[in-house]
Amino acid sequence: MAILIGDTAPDFTLESTEGTIHFHDYIEGSWAVLFSHPKNFTPVCTTELGYTAKLKPEFEKRGVKVLGLSVDKLEDHGGWARDIEETQGAALNFPLLADTEGKVARLYDMIHPNVDNTLTVRSVFVIGPDKKVKLKIEYPASTGRNFDEVLRVIDSLQLTAKHQVATPVNWKDGEDVIIVPAVSNEAAKSKFPDGWKELKPYLRIVLQPRG
């Protein structure tokens, strides 16, 4: 059964490079990113893990815990971590889960039999503090993920969870946003006292709320 946006992220217990992870306990009260890798010592994933390690301060600033997942053994993760640090200039600084039996890969529908029966695809799940899946992206094995985009989406998710706004195409933090149609003009006056620009009754542009 596929995991869909809005579903509760399945709980699991798994060994990692930072000890045993009880997923729901580990992410309690935080946002989380769970992303999978086809296997250890793969070139594209090596670049992804190194870049994600460099981004750790950005994730922490947003209250996000990051977890990687590979179907290889825990004892193999150490050698890969050394390769990542050597080639990418950043040491692994978040848990890398060892899903040797593919339990979590199957739980999160990360294996596509029409591609490969054992290797996980490059899945990304963003999970909110309510443990609900907020975003799901899948990439083919040949294409590296864009973690700047993952951060951008997290900015949008956190902003829109707090305020009754939506973010337009290619939006970045600090840019104007859209008042959602569910907010009437009357209600919008109290929410956005500085006013807004109405392009259409359903398209009202407003400065990004702060706080």
Side-chain angles (χ1 to χ4, degrees), residues 54-66:
K54 291 175 182 176
L55 287 178
K56 188 176 182 182
E58 292 298 322
F59 284 111
E60 288 180 338
K61 188 167 71 176
R62 293 162 173 81
V64 179
K65 293 183 176 180
V66 178

Side-chain angles (χ1 to χ4, degrees), residues 54-183:
K54 291 175 182 176
L55 287 178
K56 188 176 182 182
E58 292 298 322
F59 284 111
E60 288 180 338
K61 188 167 71 176
R62 293 162 173 81
V64 179
K65 293 183 176 180
V66 178
L67 298 98
L69 177 143
S70 173
V71 295
D72 280 339
K73 296 177 182 177
L74 184 61
E75 51 263 36
D76 293 337
H77 286 0
W80 193 23
R82 287 190 292 274
D83 285 359
I84 291 163
E85 183 172 11
E86 178 187 340
T87 63
Q88 306 304 306
L92 196 66
N93 53 16
F94 54 87
L96 182 58
L97 298 159
D99 190 23
T100 52
E101 297 177 2
K103 179 177 75 173
V104 176
R106 289 190 296 273
L107 196 60
Y108 278 78
D109 197 34
M110 293 173 173
I111 294 175
H112 290 188
N114 58 342
V115 176
D116 190 292
N117 283 319
T118 57
L119 298 183
T120 57
V121 294
R122 288 198 171 88
S123 300
V124 181
F125 294 89
V126 174
I127 297 152
D130 58 0
K131 299 184 177 69
K132 302 283 187 186
V133 174
K134 306 298 182 182
L135 174 78
K136 163 184 181 182
I137 312 175
E138 291 179 347
Y139 293 74
S142 59
T143 303
R145 285 167 281 209
N146 185 336
F147 282 88
D148 293 330
E149 167 65 3
V150 174
L151 283 174
R152 187 192 76 87
V153 175
I154 290 169
D155 285 340
S156 173
L157 289 168
Q158 293 184 341
L159 177 70
T160 58
K162 193 171 184 180
H163 303 279
Q164 289 183 295
V165 295
T167 55
V169 62
N170 295 337
W171 174 87
K172 292 179 183 175
D173 185 36
E175 296 179 351
D176 292 351
V177 296
I178 297 168
I179 302 171
V180 297
V183 177

Side-chain angles (χ1 to χ4, degrees), residues 11-12 16 18-33 56 64-68 93-97 131:
D11 196 13
F12 59 83
S16 83
E18 296 188 10
T20 304
I21 298 288
H22 303 284
F23 186 55
H24 278 192
D25 292 341
Y26 181 78
I27 67 171
E28 183 66 37
S30 300
W31 289 73
V33 171
K56 188 176 182 182
V64 179
K65 293 183 176 180
V66 178
L67 298 98
N93 53 16
F94 54 87
L96 182 58
L97 298 159
K131 299 184 177 69

